[in-house]
Amino acid sequence: MPRKHSAARAGVGPDADTKSARTRARILDAAAHVLSVKGYAGTRLTDVAEYAEVQAPAIYYYFSSREELIEEVMFAGVAEMRRHLKDVIDDLPADTSVLDKILAAVEAHLRHELELSDYATASIRNSGQIPEHLRTRQRKEEAAYGRMWRKLFDEAVAEGTIDPGLDVRTAQLLVMGGLNWAAEWFDPRKFSIDDVVRNAQILVRNGLTAA
């Protein structure tokens, strides 16, 4: 069963209620789902059209090519994840510890990646398959997303929360890499998202903090 799509769809602005905007959003949603399941090489516009319930030629009214459509999905996947993490962190109580903020970020990343957004899964699973010229906007969003995590880790270092024996940049990349890899093995028929989040938080907490 396909997951829910994020409410913040790429390219949907003030005119989101128009029929054209809704159709464009539906095509993007369909492309995100197909790309997350079949990968870059296996994504065909006919599959996207079928899932979006439109005629394949209609896609070209909104996107000039298959590549442009995929590029938009890849960008949206990271952009949505960044906005989601910002919202989660901003909504935490003011007295939340930095470690608890990191653990909240772990949960936000996993739930958005595995439960909420086909865009995020598509972007994460296909990053190594997409031609480099299609990744310019995605890379900028990835850098912005990474800076949000870096700020949390730097604050944890300043507080003395992180084990001084750890290299903070390496630790950050290992945590984010592990979270991203969940998109490759997670199967809701075999794993509970709650259990995955809980185990990830335990690993991160015990792995980052000093004995």
Side-chain angles (χ1 to χ4, degrees), residues 152-163:
L152 292 174
F153 274 65
D154 286 344
E155 290 176 356
V157 170
E159 281 191 359
T161 300
I162 290 183
D163 188 331

Side-chain angles (χ1 to χ4, degrees), residues 110 113-114 124 176-187 196:
L110 285 172
E113 169 190 12
L114 303 177
I124 290 170
M176 296 181 69
L179 297 178
N180 284 340
W181 188 248
E184 297 294 336
W185 56 259
F186 179 74
D187 183 341
V196 172

